[in-house]
């Protein structure tokens, strides 16, 4: 479970961004996924209207994001919460269980929202919950464990009312509910739920689905730009997601895998790009860090080969620069520049340029001074 806590006061400014302006904010941190950004920009704009609606006519539209690992699902959800300036919680669906089984009750998400909002129930009720790995709780069979709900159906059933909107009793001081515990009543009607998952093989014609269907469908995991962007309820049902849960995830958005060019842009374009981060780290030791264009493409190729997407870029760079970052603090007075080349991606030995030594000039000046004397 991950929580995002803001240092500043919540909602200290009036949210009045248009969908196009929300899209521009997403562009600052997220590369590609233009259709997804458009869908989510409209969804966030309408959700903000609901938060201020007094008529009760505007209904909540929860979101499902499907796409390969490292394509930006979690970052999209995190950025939406940052734009709206509301409490944000990331929960892992694989750690959740229905009541009575070993694991976290689904209400743990709400408990964490309250924690993030510093106990402000009204504020927490406007938050966003991102449930990751939702595909991992697809129904896998009828057998049940007496200690662990391995089928996943129980978790889906437990999430139904929570996602749709209901009043639940949430423990404040303990991870599990207790009849005589310190519980509070929490209304989830205005909490925006975003579910994400890789759904590996969802549209793969070679995949044998758990309920016996084998209908030919286009892939969404393909890195090509013309990948099918439709995410149908029928395909999700065949994958093992309950129709009732599908019906509560009104906005369905398929994300495509990032191409080599996209990954290069992820490395360099966003305001918090990882290459800029490492340049800042090196600069604090007085060393300039330079990336050659070919090296960036080589890093992107490695991430695609490992099928890790943008998530794997950091580990690749860490591996390449481990030795130089270990030795640099001891030798920084002699190092001027560190260059990441294409060859260094393979050898894990960046090119080091040393500072020019002035000893010879100093010695010559000393000799001249002695001769003059």
């Amino acid at each position: 479970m991950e929580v995002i806590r803001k240092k500043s006061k919540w909602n200290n400014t009036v949210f009045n961004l248009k969908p196009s302006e929300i899209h521009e904010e997403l562009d600052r941190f997220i590369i590609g996924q233009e259709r997804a950004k458009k869908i989510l920009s409209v969804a966030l704009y309408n959700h903000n209207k609901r938060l201020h609606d007094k008529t009760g006519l505007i209904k909540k539209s929860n979101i499902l994001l499907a796409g390969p690992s490292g394509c930006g699902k979690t970052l999209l959800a995190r950025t939406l919460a940052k734009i709206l300036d509301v409490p944000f919680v990331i929960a892992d669906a694989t750690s959740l269980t229905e009541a009575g089984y070993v694991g976290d009750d689904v209400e743990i998400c709400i408990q964490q929202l309250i924690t993030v909002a510093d106990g402000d129930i009204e504020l927490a009720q406007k938050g966003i919950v991102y449930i990751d790995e939702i595909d991992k709780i697809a129904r896998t069979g009828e057998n049940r464990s007496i200690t662990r709900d391995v089928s996943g159906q129980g978790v889906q059933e437990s999430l139904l009312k929570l996602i749709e909107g209901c009043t639940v009793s949430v423990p404040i001081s303990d991870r599990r509910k207790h009849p005589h515990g310190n519980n509070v009543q929490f209304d989830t009607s205005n909490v925006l739920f975003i579910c994400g998952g890789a759904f590996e093989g969802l549209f793969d014609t070679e995949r044998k689905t758990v309920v016996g269907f084998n209908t030919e469908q286009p892939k969404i995991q393909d890195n090509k730009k013309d990948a099918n962007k439709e995410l149908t309820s029928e395909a999700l049902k065949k994958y093992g997601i309950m129709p009732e849960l599908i019906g509560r995830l009104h906005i369905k958005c398929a994300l495509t895998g990032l191409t080599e060019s996209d990954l290069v842009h992820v490395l360099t374009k966003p305001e918090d790009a990882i290459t800029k981060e490492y340049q800042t780290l090196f600069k604090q030791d007085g060393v300039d860090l330079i990336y050659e264009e070919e090296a960036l493409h080589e890093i992107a190729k490695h991430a695609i080969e490992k099928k890790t997407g943008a998530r794997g870029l950091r580990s690749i760079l860490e591996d390449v620069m481990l030795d130089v970052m270990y030795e640099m603090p001891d030798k920084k007075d002699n190092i001027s520049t560190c260059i990441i080349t294409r060859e260094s991606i393979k050898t894990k030995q960046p090119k080091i340029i040393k500072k020019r030594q002035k000893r010879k000039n100093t010695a010559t000046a000393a000799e001249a001074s002695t001769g003059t004397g």
Side-chain angles (χ1 to χ4, degrees):
M1 179 74 66
E2 179 183 350
V3 296
I4 306 300
R5 186 186 299 273
K6 300 276 287 187
K7 293 182 179 180
S8 59
K9 292 182 179 180
W10 296 102
N11 295 318
N12 53 4
T13 57
V14 179
F15 180 89
N16 57 1
L17 295 179
K18 303 173 184 176
S20 59
E21 294 171 328
I22 297 174
H23 193 292
E24 290 177 1
E25 285 295 307
L26 292 173
D27 284 339
R28 294 173 54 196
F29 304 98
I30 301 162
I31 298 299
Q33 311 298 359
E34 293 306 313
R35 178 172 172 79
K37 289 178 184 176
K38 188 173 183 179
I39 292 173
L40 295 176
S41 296
V42 173
L44 188 65
Y45 181 71
N46 290 334
H47 178 67
N48 183 64
K49 288 182 179 179
R50 172 173 171 71
L51 294 179
H52 299 88
D53 177 48
K54 303 298 182 182
T55 66
L57 296 177
I58 303 177
K59 306 302 179 184
K60 180 174 63 170
S61 294
N62 298 302
I63 301 168
L64 174 65
L65 301 177
S69 177
C71 68
K73 299 184 295 293
T74 305
L75 183 57
L76 279 167
R78 188 195 304 272
T79 308
L80 289 179
K82 184 177 180 180
I83 294 172
L84 192 57
D85 193 24
V86 295
F88 177 59
V89 166
I90 300 176
D92 190 337
T94 58
S95 68
L96 304 177
T97 66
E98 63 176 314
Y101 289 86
V102 174
D104 291 330
D105 292 345
V106 293
E107 287 86 357
I108 191 68
C109 309
I110 306 304
Q111 185 186 60
Q112 292 296 332
L113 266 184
I114 297 173
T115 301
V116 172
D118 294 326
D120 188 333
I121 303 296
E122 182 179 354
L123 175 59
Q125 289 176 163
K126 299 178 181 180
I128 294 178
V129 174
Y130 177 70
I131 303 178
D132 199 9
E133 307 285 4
I134 194 72
D135 55 317
K136 300 301 188 296
I137 60 170
R139 289 181 291 188
T140 57
E142 298 299 325
N143 295 329
R144 292 290 189 94
S145 166
I146 61 173
T147 59
R148 173 72 184 181
D149 174 27
V150 293
S151 74
Q153 180 171 344
V155 181
Q156 294 188 49
E157 292 173 350
S158 299
L159 285 171
L160 292 179
K161 285 189 176 181
L162 196 70
I163 289 179
E164 182 179 21
C166 65
T167 300
V168 294
S169 179
V170 183
I172 296 299
S173 57
D174 194 6
R175 294 179 70 86
R176 283 196 173 264
K177 289 185 289 185
H178 190 276
H180 306 293
N182 184 20
N183 300 335
V184 296
Q185 299 301 304
F186 189 97
D187 185 4
T188 66
S189 299
N190 286 329
V191 175
L192 179 63
F193 286 87
I194 303 176
C195 296
F199 289 93
E200 185 176 354
L202 177 61
F203 295 123
D204 192 342
T205 58
E206 297 179 358
R207 180 182 187 271
K208 294 181 180 180
T209 58
V210 294
V211 289
F213 293 93
N214 193 20
T215 308
E216 185 171 334
Q217 295 282 356
K219 297 180 181 180
I220 63 168
Q221 290 85 357
D222 197 343
N223 284 343
K224 296 179 181 178
K225 290 296 184 180
D226 60 353
N228 190 294
K229 296 180 177 62
E230 294 299 324
L231 186 63
T232 65
S233 298
E234 186 64 21
L236 291 167
K237 180 181 176 182
K238 292 175 182 178
Y239 196 88
I241 304 298
M242 293 176 58
E244 295 85 353
L245 182 57
I246 296 172
R248 287 163 173 77
L249 298 170
H250 315 92
I251 300 173
K252 302 173 183 64
C253 181
L255 281 68
T256 57
L258 298 178
T259 64
E260 180 181 324
S261 177
D262 289 334
L263 289 172
V264 171
H265 287 156
V266 169
L267 283 166
T268 58
K269 298 298 183 182
E271 292 186 3
D272 56 352
I274 186 173
T275 53
K276 298 176 183 177
E277 176 185 336
Y278 280 105
Q279 285 175 330
T280 301
L281 288 172
F282 275 62
K283 199 65 178 178
Q284 290 181 0
D285 282 325
V287 178
D288 293 327
L289 178 61
I290 299 175
Y291 302 89
E292 291 187 352
E293 186 70 21
E294 290 184 350
L296 296 174
H297 283 274
E298 190 67 24
I299 294 171
K301 289 177 182 177
H302 275 56
I304 292 175
E305 290 172 0
K306 295 180 179 180
K307 297 182 179 180
T308 55
R311 185 176 287 110
L313 296 174
R314 179 181 292 274
S315 62
I316 295 172
L317 274 174
E318 282 282 347
D319 193 31
V320 170
M321 298 191 293
L322 174 61
D323 289 341
V324 70
M325 287 192 295
Y326 177 82
E327 298 171 358
M328 185 173 59
D330 295 324
K331 303 178 179 180
K332 60 183 180 181
D333 292 337
N334 297 324
I335 299 177
S336 170
T337 307
C338 176
I339 303 176
I340 307 298
T341 64
R342 181 179 181 181
E343 186 63 26
S344 66
I345 304 301
K346 302 176 182 178
T347 63
K348 298 180 176 55
Q349 294 294 328
K351 183 179 179 181
I352 300 298
I353 298 179
K354 296 183 178 181
K355 293 180 179 178
R356 291 182 179 180
Q357 300 297 327
K358 299 182 179 180
R359 294 178 181 176
K360 186 175 181 180
N361 295 336
T362 304
T364 302
E367 291 173 1
S369 177
T370 303
T372 303

